[in-house]
Amino acid sequence: MSRDSNTEHMFLTRALEKILADKETKRSHNVQLRKACTTALVDLKSDDRDGAVRSDSGILPHPDMKPYVNADRFFLPFELACHSRQPRLVVTALDCLQKLMAYGHLIGNTPDPTQPSKLIIDRVIDMVCACFTGVQTDDGVQLQIIKGLLTAVTSTVCEVHERTLLQAVRTTYNIYVGSRNLINQTTAKATLTQMLSVIFQRMETQAIVEQQKQQLGTELKSDVERSPSPFTYHMKTATEVLPTVKVTDQSEEESGAVDHKDTSVTSDERLATVANPVSNDDMMRETARWLVEQVLSQSLAQLQAETASEDVETASQLSDGSNLDDLPDTSGSTYQMQGATLTSGGAIKFSHVLQKDAFLVFRSLCKLSMMPVVDSHTDPKSHEVRSKVLSLELLLTILQNAGPVFLTHDMFVCAIKQYLCVALSKNGVSPIPRVFELSLAIFLQLLGSFKVHLKMQIEVFFKEIFLNILDTGSSPQHKWMVLEALSRICADAQCVVDIYLNYDCDLSLANIFERLVNSLSRMSQGSVRHTQHHGESAESPVTEHMMQVKAVECLVSVLKCMVEWSKDIYVNPNTTGMMATTIEGTTQSSQNVAFLRASGTSEAHLAVDEGDSGMGGSGPSTPRTHRRMTSSAGSSSLEDLRESNPLLSAALDAPEEFAERKQRKDIIEQGIALFGKKPKKGVKFLQDKGVLGEDPGDVAKFFHTDSRLDPTQIGEYIGEKEKYCIDVMYAYTDMMDFSGMDFVAALRQFLSGFRLPGEAQKIDRLMEKFAGRYCETNLSTGLFASADTAYVLAYSIIMLTTDLHSVKVKTKMTKEQYIRMNRGINDSKDLPRDYLEKIYDEIAQSELKMKPTAARATAQRTGSMTTGHSEKQRRALYALEMEQMGETVKAMMEDVSRRQTKFTSATHIEHVRPMFSACWTPILASVSVNLKETSDDDLVRLCLDGFRCSIRIACVFGLELERNAFLQSISKFTLLTVSAGITEMKPKNIETIKTLIAIAHTDGNYLQTCWHDVLKVISQLELAQLIGTGMKPQFITGTAGSTAGGVSRSQRTDGEVHRSSSDLKRMAAIQESMGETSSQSVVVAVDRIFNGSVRLDADAIVDFVEWLCVVSVNELSSSQGPRMFSLQKIVEISYYNMPRIRLEWSRIWRVLGDHFNKVGCHANEEVAIFAVDSLRQLSMKFLERGELPNFRFQKDFLRPFEHIMKRNRSPTIRDMVVRCVAQMVHSQAANIKSGWKNIFSVFHLAASDHDEGIVELAFQTTATIFEQYFAATIDSFQDAVKCLSEFACNAAFPDTSMEAIRLIRHCAKHVADAPQMFKDYGAEENVSETDRVWVKGWFPVLFELSCVINRCKLDVRTRGLTVMFEVMKTYGNSFQQHWWRDLFRVVFRIFDNMKLPEQQQEAKAYRIIDYEYCVDTLMMCCRRQNG
């Protein structure tokens, strides 16, 4: 006998002998069992003697041998043993059957002889399941049942489907719930998890294999068409049957019946069946079959290997707890579902029985999770709670391990909508923490994988559960779990932007994103009170603090998501150099990024490099792996993506369109809010804005469709007597169809959209129109003689409702009184008595209720749970409130499950701009309040991260108001603003300083005017550092005897300053805290701001310099004494930025020059000296670079020297200016071009000074210039001669005056010797080349000499006159005729001066001599000219 036969017979023989040997078998009532065992043993021995042929390949039989156990001969003993209910017998029988199935000896794919419609395996599973009879079942039997069912479901040779599969899952489920043995519970739970994993993985694997078969068949067919050889002919024939290798036929799928016998037909047999008639070439046929099977088997083996590890991991992660009454029997073959793929008969069309199995199990678990839990069974250890928990855990496992088929197939999507979402609507408001927690986990999985299909369901879950729990007095435990869930949602950038895009920008949906941020902000500030719940007296301060921290964490995660979403347009000055990039210039980049996100290539979480952007700390973090592409490639790829994915094509977003929608929605919400206060004004506002039509029908439709309107105000509006309001009321009523409706039902529908006004006349108008509309739509009833009857009846029903259900009415109306009240209303006749009695009973049982406003409902919920109740009452009210909320949510879920909506996947960067604009106010309030009040390090870090992210977003998108608000707020928390004064600092203030400096370092290109706040803090930081070192104690404010901003001092005694001990201690504490500001990290961070200014763009550096100068002015004007910190930094950044291009540097110097002008004239000489010396150093540095011809930047750069010399009268400063300029001349004369003009201007101002040293140094330098660098000064020749003239006119130094006149004569010689120099240099308009010598050379010399003659004393004037006429006599022959006309005008000025009254006490004779000398000289010149 073969080894396989021995193995099979060994299992059977041992089991049968063990059963026979048991004492229970020998009892009289087990006669059939003994007989069956004996017969089976005899048959086994007979088989051994017959020597049946078996395979020698091993334990597992060969597929062709069909080694299943014959039920007639071998199965009956085990079935009888199981029915005996004796644990030992049952365990033995189940163990044997489990081993037979495990080793492949029991397949069970043959019909059951006792019931041909079922298979043997169905009978086996029924028998195994029947062994579990409840909680009293033996523990060993339970364990064997679990093992047997797991083996049957996961076996590769036994096929368990549909009803049998559900029965196996149900039994395992019941064992978990009913068993008292912890080991059995754990095993049952792990078994269920593994069963579900196998069921769904088989479905996914089958779909992949089927797809591979089709692909392979297509490839083989194409090969046949290309090369029709005998081999390819056989391949083609073989592949034609591949698509038919299914467990069920198409006709069977439609009818719902499954023939398990067909599943034994293997691919080999079908290939052989087709291939044999084609050819006798066995080699070709076997080769084709081998090729097909090899490809399929390799693919299947690889897929199974990948999923095996996931199954083990899933089973190992199970936790305890679940319960079940009974799994619903859903073994039917026809299922009605909204939106699923249906056959012609209305049944769901399953492509494979494995898909049907997965669907049945999933639906059963959903229904199981909806089973109610009564209040008395809310103990976590009760069967009901454990059942619900287990079903939710299994559903969560299915979603976590979902494959492509489950994620995309319409059938499963519809099942999630109709079953799972409805189940979540009940469990999502459960007071049981574990149930609520699992519901949140399932919702998060749905949000991550199915949000495209569940747009409406997500809105309901957020609006009715999440936000209600956050905003009302829910238990702290529930709030904490909601916050945990929100923290995961807020960490996903794609999810956050999608929520804003699909809900806040949808006119018909709630503002989920905005409301979520507002709720988190309120919670983070401790604005939401919590109810006492489940024995909690009240939430502890620790719990409240944890919730505040978690709420802030969620808000910061939202901000980080927005930073992550917009990072592609952020320009970091520390990585991009001085390149300027604007948002407008990134359109193409945004499109590329949009394509990448739409195709799934970008990460959804925030990942900001600490060294890059400074966005460190907690929060989402993923690798920043973004791929870039060219614009053409991006465009073509985007078009290809649109064509290949229709869903994505419809969802690609346009920022302008969504921004317009959001703006329109905001207008509508403003109008609705105004309508809630003043209905007429609200309608008028909406009509003026163009969002509501002028026609009454448009207003009526608006009242019908928008649920946000206040029902009370709608009733007031349509009840008004104005014609327009009446027209709206008529249109509103005419839009309702009461056809075939009962009168009371129609009245309920009519009143469902608004609340009746309190004024009787308004009610009268409404009831009159309702009666007319009801009679109009129910003409065939014949019950009412006219509309008057309906009108009176409607009014009486309103009165009856008030009478029966108002607490103010003590004596209630009876039925007879109501009937009497309505006598004769039907055209003087009575309505049928039974009809009126029916109305009375219906109203008595259910009053006419009108939906309260959302605000009123929320107030009622909050007030009922927070005031005037004991702990027990609050608990009961909370449970009741949650139950009501659950019913509301369930109804809404069932309603939206039938609605189809389009979900837009966000891709564009620009969506962040309106998102931040909508949420920045509550976020600022949250981080500001918490940073002000807390000392917790984690919360401080979160708040600072919120500031950094908010400022980054506002900067990137140019939101000036938001940026200024956040920066000004964070600067106040540094305690370093000038208005606050220097006080004791805490660690959080030090961290705030570091954060502000980091913001300036990373976002400097965007700060603009906010540089003022940053630089003020840095300025005060330097002061704090000085206080910390004890160098500036007088700046400490707030001590005894101090004034605002003043110095703290006590009274002086004998010249000494005495301070009280308390003041000294406080000053010591302040100095110690200020010492933290001198840490190396702070100092280095500040230095990076100024060193990094070289990397700011052209506009940013100008803003930086401008505000640094403003801060410097404030420092210098301080009442405690000037400080020069910012002035020093100005000099430093000037050095750092010197290499910038001239265009940028000229803009910078325009600001710096004005500042140096002011500082150089400062009243404090130390400040002015520093400014002048700094100017000198900068000038020397800049002059080293030289200047090209016709440029004038040197003139702008040196202008501050001229300004200081003109405005500052301090001899020290003036002397220093002259010395600085002299040094520049001596060291950089070769590089000076346009700067000569400023130099001569400075010397011109120095020439009139009364300080000999200043005048002497200036003149010596001027003389040096004329002697050595005359050619370089041609462009400034006029200024040079004017400078000499000023020296000559200084009466205090006659020697210098004479020497200056000599240099003027020397200038005339230069003009005569090198006239070509003046001709070639500086061509001017309207001046010929010949006249240039006169205009730029001769005329300045002669004119300045005339000025000397007119202004100076006699000796100098005489010398000047002599030189002037010597020049005329010497060089006059070279003058042009028209030059003489100009010259005579200059000379005649001298004579004009002689005619003036005597200005000086000089002898008249000397004036006469000068006059005669002038006349003689002029006559001589004239004769020479005429000669």
Coordinates of all heavy atoms in Angstrom, one line a residue, residues 1336-1389:
K1336 N 33.6 126.2 -20.9 CA 34.1 125.3 -19.8 C 35.4 125.7 -19.3 O 35.8 125.2 -18.2 CB 34.1 123.9 -20.3 CG 32.8 123.3 -20.8 CD 32.8 121.9 -21.1 CE 33.1 121.0 -19.9 NZ 32.0 121.1 -18.9
G1337 N 36.2 126.6 -20.0 CA 37.5 127.0 -19.6 C 37.7 128.4 -19.2 O 37.9 128.8 -18.1
W1338 N 37.6 129.3 -20.3 CA 37.9 130.7 -20.0 C 36.9 131.4 -19.2 O 37.2 132.2 -18.3 CB 38.1 131.4 -21.4 CG 39.3 131.0 -22.1 CD1 39.4 130.4 -23.3 CD2 40.6 131.3 -21.7 NE1 40.7 130.2 -23.7 CE2 41.5 130.7 -22.7 CE3 41.2 131.9 -20.6 CZ2 42.9 130.8 -22.6 CZ3 42.6 131.9 -20.5 CH2 43.4 131.4 -21.5
F1339 N 35.7 131.2 -19.5 CA 34.6 131.9 -18.8 C 34.6 131.7 -17.3 O 34.5 132.6 -16.5 CB 33.3 131.6 -19.4 CG 32.2 132.5 -18.8 CD1 32.0 133.8 -19.2 CD2 31.3 132.0 -17.8 CE1 31.0 134.6 -18.7 CE2 30.3 132.7 -17.2 CZ 30.1 134.0 -17.7
P1340 N 34.7 130.4 -16.8 CA 34.8 130.2 -15.3 C 36.0 130.9 -14.7 O 35.8 131.5 -13.6 CB 34.9 128.7 -15.2 CG 34.3 128.1 -16.4 CD 34.7 129.1 -17.5
V1341 N 37.1 131.0 -15.4 CA 38.3 131.6 -14.8 C 38.1 133.1 -14.6 O 38.3 133.7 -13.6 CB 39.6 131.3 -15.6 CG1 40.7 132.2 -15.2 CG2 39.9 129.9 -15.6
L1342 N 37.6 133.7 -15.7 CA 37.4 135.2 -15.7 C 36.3 135.6 -14.8 O 36.3 136.6 -14.1 CB 37.1 135.7 -17.1 CG 38.3 135.5 -18.1 CD1 37.9 135.8 -19.5 CD2 39.5 136.3 -17.6
F1343 N 35.2 134.7 -14.8 CA 34.1 135.1 -13.9 C 34.5 135.0 -12.4 O 34.1 135.9 -11.6 CB 32.9 134.1 -14.2 CG 31.7 134.4 -13.4 CD1 30.8 135.4 -13.7 CD2 31.4 133.6 -12.2 CE1 29.7 135.7 -12.9 CE2 30.3 133.9 -11.4 CZ 29.5 134.9 -11.8
E1344 N 35.2 134.0 -12.0 CA 35.6 133.8 -10.6 C 36.6 135.0 -10.2 O 36.5 135.4 -9.1 CB 36.2 132.5 -10.4 CG 35.2 131.3 -10.5 CD 34.0 131.5 -9.6 OE1 34.2 132.1 -8.5 OE2 32.9 131.0 -9.9
L1345 N 37.4 135.4 -11.2 CA 38.3 136.5 -10.9 C 37.5 137.8 -10.6 O 37.8 138.6 -9.8 CB 39.3 136.7 -12.0 CG 40.4 135.7 -12.1 CD1 41.2 135.9 -13.3 CD2 41.3 135.8 -10.8
S1346 N 36.4 138.0 -11.4 CA 35.6 139.1 -11.2 C 34.9 139.1 -9.9 O 34.7 140.1 -9.2 CB 34.5 139.2 -12.3 OG 33.6 138.2 -12.2
C1347 N 34.5 137.8 -9.4 CA 33.9 137.7 -8.1 C 34.9 138.1 -7.0 O 34.6 138.7 -6.0 CB 33.5 136.3 -7.9 SG 32.0 135.8 -9.0
V1348 N 36.2 137.6 -7.2 CA 37.2 138.0 -6.2 C 37.4 139.5 -6.2 O 37.5 140.1 -5.1 CB 38.6 137.3 -6.6 CG1 39.7 137.9 -5.7 CG2 38.4 135.8 -6.5
I1349 N 37.4 140.1 -7.3 CA 37.5 141.6 -7.4 C 36.3 142.3 -6.6 O 36.5 143.3 -5.9 CB 37.6 142.1 -8.8 CG1 38.8 141.5 -9.5 CG2 37.5 143.6 -8.9 CD1 38.9 141.7 -11.0
N1350 N 35.2 141.7 -6.8 CA 34.0 142.4 -6.1 C 33.9 142.1 -4.7 O 33.3 142.9 -3.9 CB 32.7 141.9 -6.8 CG 32.6 142.5 -8.2 OD1 33.0 143.6 -8.5 ND2 31.9 141.7 -9.1
R1351 N 34.5 141.0 -4.2 CA 34.2 140.6 -2.8 C 35.3 140.8 -1.8 O 35.1 141.0 -0.6 CB 33.9 139.1 -2.8 CG 32.5 138.7 -3.4 CD 32.4 137.2 -3.5 NE 32.6 136.6 -2.2 CZ 32.8 135.3 -1.9 NH1 32.9 134.5 -3.0 NH2 33.0 134.9 -0.7
C1352 N 36.6 140.8 -2.3 CA 37.7 140.8 -1.4 C 38.2 142.2 -1.0 O 37.7 143.2 -1.5 CB 38.9 140.0 -2.1 SG 38.4 138.3 -2.4
K1353 N 39.1 142.1 -0.1 CA 39.8 143.4 0.4 C 40.6 143.9 -0.7 O 40.8 143.3 -1.8 CB 40.6 143.1 1.6 CG 39.7 142.8 2.8 CD 40.6 142.6 4.1 CE 39.8 142.3 5.3 NZ 40.6 142.2 6.5
L1354 N 41.2 145.1 -0.4 CA 41.8 145.8 -1.5 C 43.0 145.1 -2.1 O 43.2 145.0 -3.3 CB 42.3 147.2 -0.9 CG 43.1 148.1 -1.9 CD1 42.2 148.4 -3.1 CD2 43.5 149.4 -1.2
D1355 N 43.9 144.6 -1.2 CA 45.1 143.9 -1.7 C 44.7 142.7 -2.5 O 45.3 142.4 -3.6 CB 46.0 143.6 -0.6 CG 45.3 142.8 0.5 OD1 44.1 142.7 0.5 OD2 46.0 142.2 1.4
V1356 N 43.8 141.9 -2.0 CA 43.4 140.7 -2.8 C 42.7 141.1 -4.0 O 42.9 140.5 -5.1 CB 42.6 139.8 -1.9 CG1 42.1 138.6 -2.7 CG2 43.3 139.4 -0.7
R1357 N 41.8 142.2 -3.9 CA 41.1 142.6 -5.1 C 42.0 143.1 -6.2 O 41.9 142.9 -7.4 CB 40.1 143.7 -4.6 CG 39.2 144.2 -5.8 CD 38.1 145.0 -5.3 NE 38.6 146.3 -4.7 CZ 38.3 146.7 -3.5 NH1 37.5 146.0 -2.7 NH2 38.8 147.8 -3.1
T1358 N 43.0 143.9 -5.7 CA 44.0 144.4 -6.7 C 44.7 143.3 -7.4 O 44.9 143.3 -8.6 CB 45.0 145.3 -5.9 OG1 44.2 146.4 -5.3 CG2 45.9 146.0 -6.9
R1359 N 45.1 142.3 -6.6 CA 45.8 141.2 -7.2 C 44.9 140.4 -8.1 O 45.4 140.0 -9.2 CB 46.3 140.2 -6.1 CG 47.1 139.0 -6.5 CD 48.3 139.5 -7.3 NE 49.0 138.3 -7.9 CZ 49.9 138.4 -8.8 NH1 50.3 139.6 -9.4 NH2 50.6 137.3 -9.3
G1360 N 43.7 140.3 -7.8 CA 42.8 139.6 -8.7 C 42.5 140.4 -9.9 O 42.4 139.8 -11.0
L1361 N 42.4 141.7 -9.8 CA 42.3 142.6 -11.0 C 43.4 142.5 -11.9 O 43.3 142.4 -13.1 CB 42.0 144.0 -10.6 CG 41.6 145.0 -11.6 CD1 40.3 144.6 -12.3 CD2 41.6 146.4 -11.1
T1362 N 44.6 142.5 -11.3 CA 45.8 142.4 -12.1 C 45.9 141.1 -12.9 O 46.2 141.0 -14.1 CB 47.1 142.5 -11.2 OG1 47.0 143.7 -10.4 CG2 48.3 142.4 -11.9
V1363 N 45.6 140.0 -12.2 CA 45.6 138.7 -12.8 C 44.6 138.6 -13.9 O 44.8 138.1 -15.0 CB 45.4 137.6 -11.8 CG1 45.3 136.2 -12.5 CG2 46.6 137.5 -10.8
M1364 N 43.5 139.2 -13.7 CA 42.4 139.1 -14.7 C 42.8 139.8 -16.0 O 42.6 139.3 -17.1 CB 41.1 139.7 -14.1 CG 39.9 139.8 -15.1 SD 38.5 140.5 -14.3 CE 37.3 140.4 -15.7
F1365 N 43.3 141.0 -15.8 CA 43.7 141.7 -17.0 C 45.0 141.2 -17.7 O 45.2 141.3 -18.9 CB 43.8 143.2 -16.7 CG 42.5 143.9 -16.6 CD1 42.0 144.2 -15.3 CD2 41.7 144.1 -17.7 CE1 40.7 144.8 -15.2 CE2 40.5 144.8 -17.6 CZ 40.0 145.1 -16.3
E1366 N 45.8 140.6 -16.8 CA 47.0 139.9 -17.4 C 46.5 138.8 -18.3 O 47.1 138.5 -19.4 CB 47.9 139.4 -16.4 CG 48.7 140.5 -15.7 CD 49.7 139.9 -14.6 OE1 49.6 138.6 -14.5 OE2 50.4 140.7 -14.0
V1367 N 45.5 138.0 -17.9 CA 45.0 136.9 -18.7 C 44.4 137.5 -19.9 O 44.6 136.9 -21.0 CB 43.9 136.2 -17.9 CG1 43.2 135.2 -18.7 CG2 44.6 135.4 -16.7
M1368 N 43.7 138.6 -19.8 CA 43.0 139.2 -21.0 C 44.1 139.7 -22.0 O 43.9 139.5 -23.2 CB 42.1 140.4 -20.6 CG 40.9 139.9 -19.8 SD 40.0 141.3 -19.0 CE 39.6 142.2 -20.5
K1369 N 45.1 140.3 -21.5 CA 46.2 140.8 -22.4 C 47.0 139.6 -23.0 O 47.4 139.7 -24.1 CB 47.1 141.7 -21.6 CG 46.4 143.1 -21.3 CD 47.4 144.1 -20.7 CE 47.8 143.6 -19.3 NZ 48.7 144.7 -18.6
T1370 N 47.2 138.6 -22.1 CA 48.1 137.5 -22.6 C 47.4 136.6 -23.6 O 48.0 136.2 -24.6 CB 48.6 136.7 -21.4 OG1 49.2 137.6 -20.5 CG2 49.6 135.7 -21.9
Y1371 N 46.2 136.3 -23.3 CA 45.5 135.3 -24.1 C 44.3 135.8 -24.9 O 43.6 135.1 -25.5 CB 45.0 134.1 -23.2 CG 46.1 133.5 -22.3 CD1 46.1 133.8 -21.0 CD2 47.1 132.8 -22.9 CE1 47.1 133.2 -20.1 CE2 48.1 132.3 -22.1 CZ 48.1 132.5 -20.7 OH 49.1 132.0 -19.9
G1372 N 44.1 137.2 -24.8 CA 42.9 137.8 -25.5 C 43.0 137.6 -27.0 O 41.9 137.6 -27.6
N1373 N 44.1 137.5 -27.6 CA 44.2 137.4 -29.0 C 43.6 136.1 -29.5 O 43.3 135.9 -30.7 CB 45.6 137.6 -29.5 CG 46.6 136.5 -28.8 OD1 46.1 135.8 -27.9 ND2 47.8 136.5 -29.2
S1374 N 43.4 135.1 -28.6 CA 42.9 133.8 -29.1 C 41.3 133.8 -28.9 O 40.7 132.8 -29.2 CB 43.5 132.7 -28.3 OG 43.2 132.8 -26.9
F1375 N 40.8 134.9 -28.3 CA 39.3 134.9 -28.0 C 38.6 135.2 -29.3 O 39.0 135.9 -30.2 CB 39.0 135.9 -27.0 CG 39.5 135.7 -25.6 CD1 39.3 136.6 -24.6 CD2 40.2 134.5 -25.3 CE1 39.8 136.3 -23.3 CE2 40.7 134.2 -24.1 CZ 40.5 135.1 -23.0
Q1376 N 37.4 134.5 -29.5 CA 36.5 134.8 -30.6 C 35.8 136.1 -30.3 O 35.7 136.6 -29.1 CB 35.5 133.7 -30.7 CG 36.1 132.3 -31.0 CD 36.7 132.2 -32.4 OE1 36.2 132.9 -33.3 NE2 37.8 131.5 -32.5
Q1377 N 35.2 136.7 -31.3 CA 34.6 138.0 -31.2 C 33.4 138.0 -30.2 O 33.2 138.9 -29.4 CB 34.2 138.6 -32.6 CG 33.6 140.0 -32.5 CD 33.3 140.6 -33.9 OE1 33.6 139.9 -34.9 NE2 32.8 141.7 -33.9
H1378 N 32.6 137.0 -30.4 CA 31.4 136.9 -29.5 C 31.8 136.5 -28.1 O 31.0 136.7 -27.1 CB 30.4 135.9 -30.0 CG 30.9 134.5 -30.2 ND1 31.7 134.1 -31.3 CD2 30.8 133.4 -29.4 CE1 32.0 132.8 -31.2 NE2 31.5 132.4 -30.0
W1379 N 33.1 135.9 -27.9 CA 33.5 135.7 -26.5 C 33.7 137.0 -25.8 O 33.4 137.1 -24.6 CB 34.8 134.9 -26.5 CG 34.7 133.5 -27.1 CD1 33.6 132.9 -27.6 CD2 35.8 132.6 -27.2 NE1 34.0 131.7 -28.0 CE2 35.3 131.4 -27.8 CE3 37.2 132.7 -26.9 CZ2 36.1 130.3 -28.0 CZ3 38.0 131.6 -27.1 CH2 37.4 130.4 -27.7
W1380 N 34.2 138.1 -26.5 CA 34.4 139.4 -25.9 C 33.1 140.0 -25.4 O 33.1 140.7 -24.4 CB 35.1 140.3 -26.9 CG 36.5 140.0 -27.1 CD1 37.1 139.3 -28.1 CD2 37.6 140.4 -26.2 NE1 38.5 139.2 -27.9 CE2 38.8 139.9 -26.7 CE3 37.6 141.1 -25.0 CZ2 40.0 140.1 -26.1 CZ3 38.8 141.3 -24.4 CH2 40.0 140.8 -24.9
R1381 N 32.0 139.7 -26.1 CA 30.8 140.3 -25.6 C 30.5 139.7 -24.2 O 30.1 140.4 -23.3 CB 29.7 139.9 -26.5 CG 29.7 140.8 -27.8 CD 28.3 140.7 -28.5 NE 28.0 139.3 -29.0 CZ 28.4 138.9 -30.2 NH1 29.0 139.6 -31.0 NH2 28.0 137.6 -30.5
D1382 N 30.7 138.4 -24.0 CA 30.5 137.8 -22.7 C 31.5 138.4 -21.7 O 31.2 138.6 -20.5 CB 30.6 136.3 -22.8 CG 29.5 135.7 -23.7 OD1 28.5 136.3 -23.8 OD2 29.8 134.5 -24.2
L1383 N 32.7 138.6 -22.2 CA 33.7 139.1 -21.3 C 33.4 140.5 -20.8 O 33.6 140.8 -19.6 CB 35.1 139.0 -22.0 CG 36.3 139.6 -21.2 CD1 36.5 138.8 -19.9 CD2 37.6 139.6 -22.0
F1384 N 32.9 141.3 -21.7 CA 32.6 142.7 -21.3 C 31.5 142.7 -20.3 O 31.4 143.6 -19.4 CB 32.2 143.5 -22.5 CG 33.4 143.9 -23.3 CD1 33.4 143.9 -24.7 CD2 34.6 144.4 -22.7 CE1 34.5 144.3 -25.4 CE2 35.7 144.8 -23.4 CZ 35.7 144.7 -24.8
R1385 N 30.6 141.8 -20.4 CA 29.5 141.8 -19.4 C 30.1 141.5 -18.0 O 29.6 142.0 -17.0 CB 28.5 140.7 -19.8 CG 27.7 141.0 -21.0 CD 26.5 140.0 -21.2 NE 25.8 140.2 -22.4 CZ 25.9 139.5 -23.5 NH1 26.8 138.5 -23.5 NH2 25.2 139.7 -24.6
V1386 N 31.1 140.6 -18.0 CA 31.7 140.3 -16.7 C 32.5 141.5 -16.2 O 32.4 141.8 -15.0 CB 32.7 139.1 -16.9 CG1 33.4 138.8 -15.6 CG2 31.9 137.8 -17.3
V1387 N 33.2 142.1 -17.1 CA 34.0 143.3 -16.6 C 33.1 144.4 -16.2 O 33.3 145.1 -15.2 CB 34.9 143.7 -17.8 CG1 35.7 145.0 -17.4 CG2 35.9 142.6 -18.1
F1388 N 32.0 144.6 -17.0 CA 31.1 145.7 -16.6 C 30.4 145.5 -15.2 O 30.0 146.5 -14.6 CB 30.0 145.9 -17.7 CG 30.6 146.5 -19.0 CD1 29.9 146.2 -20.2 CD2 31.7 147.2 -19.0 CE1 30.4 146.8 -21.4 CE2 32.2 147.7 -20.2 CZ 31.6 147.5 -21.4
R1389 N 30.4 144.3 -14.8 CA 29.9 144.0 -13.5 C 30.8 144.7 -12.4 O 30.3 145.1 -11.4 CB 29.8 142.5 -13.2 CG 28.7 141.8 -13.9 CD 28.7 140.3 -13.6 NE 28.4 140.0 -12.2 CZ 29.2 139.6 -11.3 NH1 30.5 139.4 -11.7 NH2 28.8 139.4 -10.1

